[in-house]
Amino acid sequence: MIELNQTHNPELSSWLESANRADSDFPIQNLPYASFRPVASDQPFRIGVAIGDQVLDLQQVAHGGLLTGLPAGVINACNCETLKPLMELGQTCWSALRARLSELLSSNADAVTVDKLKAALCPQDEVEYQLPCQIGDYTDFYTSIHHATRVGSLFRPDNPLLPNYQWIPIGYHGRASSVVISGQDFQRPQGTRAADAPTPTLGPCQRLDYELELGVLVGTGNALGSPVGIDQAESHIFGLCLLNDWSARDLQAWEYQPLGPFLSKSFLTSLSPWVVTMEALAPFRAPWTRSPDEPQPLDYLDSPQVRQHGAVDIRLAVELETARDREASRPGQQLSQSSFVDSYWTLSQMLTHHTVNGCNLQPGDLLGSGTQSGPQPEESGSLLELSQGGKQPLQLANGEQRTFLEDGDRVTLRGWCEAPGSRRIGFGSVTGCVLPARPHH
């Protein structure tokens, strides 16, 4: 468990005024990482840190001699195009860089330092992003019992949860090659579905959905055959981002038995550009509990550390902007809000279970949390739940209705953390728009 330190001090302020605004996602207490470059340029991508409404170019910071004294591996990693070299270094190096950046960006920095740093800033609305690192492998979990129960009730009203759900974190291996950065619009996927026809048909998905998830990026890996213990698991996690695992529900219903989702999930998964480190999340930890009348975790998934502060209170929200909204210059509307603190399984339990068979995780591997839904129906993280399987259309504020996504719909996921005595921090957003399906030949 990462202890609170000076970088979390809620009284700490920055010389960059936009970072001191109460509603900023990126105060000096956050300092998330991304891979960026000036928009529409042919410059190489480089590592940046979000501060207020700006991006700090770490390559320029390193070249300016402001990282002297840090391990050579850290300085070299700051000169790379993606986060992977930094992710490989481990918690000690990550903490050292965060501490230095906090000093440099604080209002206590000297004038010469501030001048050098100002030259390394770029407005966030003038940059573009790529994936923070090449995604090696992608595993999607199913950690919200509220989501699992509601979805299970649609298909198995008498037995919504399968027997294994409350004993182990359930997951499946997804498609890494179709993980994309936020802002990439996409054609409605084609696929085979059965519906009520005697013969399956190929055509555009009719029940397209989003999934409100967190993405977990692995930092240091583990050797093949060497499981990671529960109390060491979080030291292998570099940070978290937002994840939308778009889903073709009609294709999924036809194909998912007996081996699980395939074409219904592999067409696109969207990631937010900013990776919030585990250290930045330290003020928002919470106890993890399991009701006494439920199965308790097996020993390898349990420890006092997990019980005391294994949960993380990350607020999550979904917004929908329709094509009509854009035509009328109206903002979209929020469809739901939930919190990761209600997750049935923790980050450390997911990673530990993933490796208990000897599976080797590698820097840049991605774990999805699965759809994050809260205990109340209005806290559902998918349209499948909100519309009760398409039976109950949602009435939108603009007069439209939705059961599933229509062409022109833009979905935006947001995340943030708030706690008494701590500065609010945010994840930014992940967004994508549904385009009409390509003609099938």
Side-chain angles (χ1 to χ4, degrees), residues 10-221:
E11 303 302 320
L12 193 63
S13 63
S14 173
W15 48 262
L16 183 66
E17 281 305 314
S18 64
N20 300 325
R21 292 200 286 260
D23 62 348
S24 174
D25 271 358
F26 307 121
I28 194 171
Q29 289 81 1
N30 193 350
L31 305 179
Y33 297 95
S35 178
F36 83 103
R37 69 180 178 186
V39 69
S41 75
D42 58 0
Q43 296 182 25
F45 282 90
R46 74 290 304 261
I47 297 176
V49 168
I51 181 70
D53 59 3
Q54 303 287 309
V55 183
L56 181 67
D57 185 337
L58 289 194
Q59 188 175 82
Q60 289 193 49
V61 174
H63 289 174
L66 296 175
L67 302 181
T68 304
L70 293 179
V74 173
I75 299 173
N76 292 337
C78 290
N79 284 295
C80 294
E81 294 189 16
T82 76
L83 294 175
K84 185 176 179 182
L86 178 61
M87 297 164 74
E88 295 172 338
L89 296 178
Q91 184 64 57
T92 300
C93 289
W94 305 336
S95 293
L97 179 57
R98 174 180 165 87
R100 175 63 60 83
L101 292 172
S102 180
E103 293 172 2
L104 295 174
L105 291 165
S106 80
S107 53
N108 296 323
D110 62 77
V112 174
T113 296
V114 171
D115 286 344
K116 286 184 177 182
L117 291 172
K118 284 181 176 179
L121 292 176
C122 188
Q124 288 181 26
D125 58 7
E126 296 179 11
V127 306
E128 61 185 6
Y129 304 98
Q130 67 172 355
L131 288 173
C133 60
Q134 182 176 354
I135 306 300
D137 280 302
Y138 167 40
T139 304
D140 197 26
F141 282 91
Y142 199 48
T143 65
S144 170
I145 194 170
H146 308 296
H147 172 71
T149 301
R150 288 191 200 108
V151 172
S153 296
L154 295 174
F155 302 103
R156 301 179 302 275
D158 298 328
N159 187 31
L161 285 181
L162 296 176
N164 58 1
Y165 188 87
Q166 293 175 292
W167 290 100
I168 57 172
I170 302 299
Y172 76 97
H173 291 284
R175 182 75 183 177
S177 66
S178 53
V179 178
V180 302
I181 197 66
S182 174
Q184 183 164 322
D185 302 336
F186 65 99
Q187 277 81 20
R188 180 179 294 272
Q190 302 265 5
T192 305
R193 59 186 184 277
D196 297 322
T199 303
T201 58
L202 176 68
C205 164
Q206 300 299 307
R207 293 160 68 93
L208 185 63
D209 203 355
Y210 58 80
E211 292 195 343
L212 173 62
E213 300 195 30
L214 283 170
V216 182
L217 284 167
V218 175
T220 53

Side-chain angles (χ1 to χ4, degrees), residues 304-364:
Q305 182 170 299
V306 169
R307 299 278 181 165
Q308 291 164 16
H309 37 63
V312 194
D313 188 3
I314 302 172
R315 320 289 174 86
L316 301 163
V318 183
E319 299 171 9
L320 175 65
E321 176 194 72
T322 72
R324 287 191 203 173
D325 287 332
R326 284 194 297 282
E327 291 168 3
S329 299
R330 288 189 303 255
Q333 73 172 80
Q334 181 172 296
L335 298 184
S336 68
Q337 184 176 319
S338 59
S339 174
F340 187 58
V341 79
D342 292 317
S343 178
Y344 199 73
W345 298 101
T346 69
L347 299 171
S348 55
Q349 288 168 331
M350 282 188 277
L351 192 140
T352 292
H353 182 66
H354 202 319
T355 67
V356 73
N357 68 340
C359 175
N360 56 321
L361 300 180
Q362 299 175 327

Side-chain angles (χ1 to χ4, degrees), residues 213-392:
E213 300 195 30
L214 283 170
V216 182
L217 284 167
V218 175
T220 53
N222 60 297
L224 182 65
S226 299
V228 176
I230 188 70
D231 286 338
Q232 289 74 49
E234 284 194 12
S235 67
H236 291 262
I237 298 174
F238 179 74
L240 309 184
C241 57
L242 302 172
L243 185 153
N244 186 346
D245 197 25
W246 307 88
S247 295
R249 300 297 187 187
D250 46 346
L251 312 186
Q252 186 173 356
W254 169 237
E255 72 179 9
Y256 85 102
Q257 292 180 326
L259 293 181
F262 184 30
L263 302 184
S264 58
K265 305 288 284 184
S266 61
F267 61 95
L268 201 78
T269 301
S270 301
L271 278 190
S272 59
W274 292 108
V275 182
V276 176
T277 63
M278 292 302 294
E279 187 163 2
L281 294 169
F284 310 102
R285 305 309 296 258
W288 176 83
T289 58
R290 182 64 59 84
S291 173
D293 59 354
E294 295 180 293
Q296 299 304 299
L298 299 177
D299 287 346
Y300 78 101
L301 294 174
D302 203 358
S303 78
Q305 182 170 299
V306 169
R307 299 278 181 165
Q308 291 164 16
H309 37 63
V312 194
D313 188 3
I314 302 172
R315 320 289 174 86
L316 301 163
V318 183
E319 299 171 9
L320 175 65
E321 176 194 72
T322 72
R324 287 191 203 173
D325 287 332
R326 284 194 297 282
E327 291 168 3
S329 299
R330 288 189 303 255
Q333 73 172 80
Q334 181 172 296
L335 298 184
S336 68
Q337 184 176 319
S338 59
S339 174
F340 187 58
V341 79
D342 292 317
S343 178
Y344 199 73
W345 298 101
T346 69
L347 299 171
S348 55
Q349 288 168 331
M350 282 188 277
L351 192 140
T352 292
H353 182 66
H354 202 319
T355 67
V356 73
N357 68 340
C359 175
N360 56 321
L361 300 180
Q362 299 175 327
D365 282 356
L366 173 66
L367 313 181
S369 67
T371 305
Q372 292 303 300
S373 299
Q376 302 305 316
E378 63 271 20
E379 297 175 289
S380 296
S382 69
L383 284 174
L384 181 66
E385 299 165 81
L386 290 172
S387 71
Q388 298 177 35
K391 298 175 183 177
Q392 186 65 48

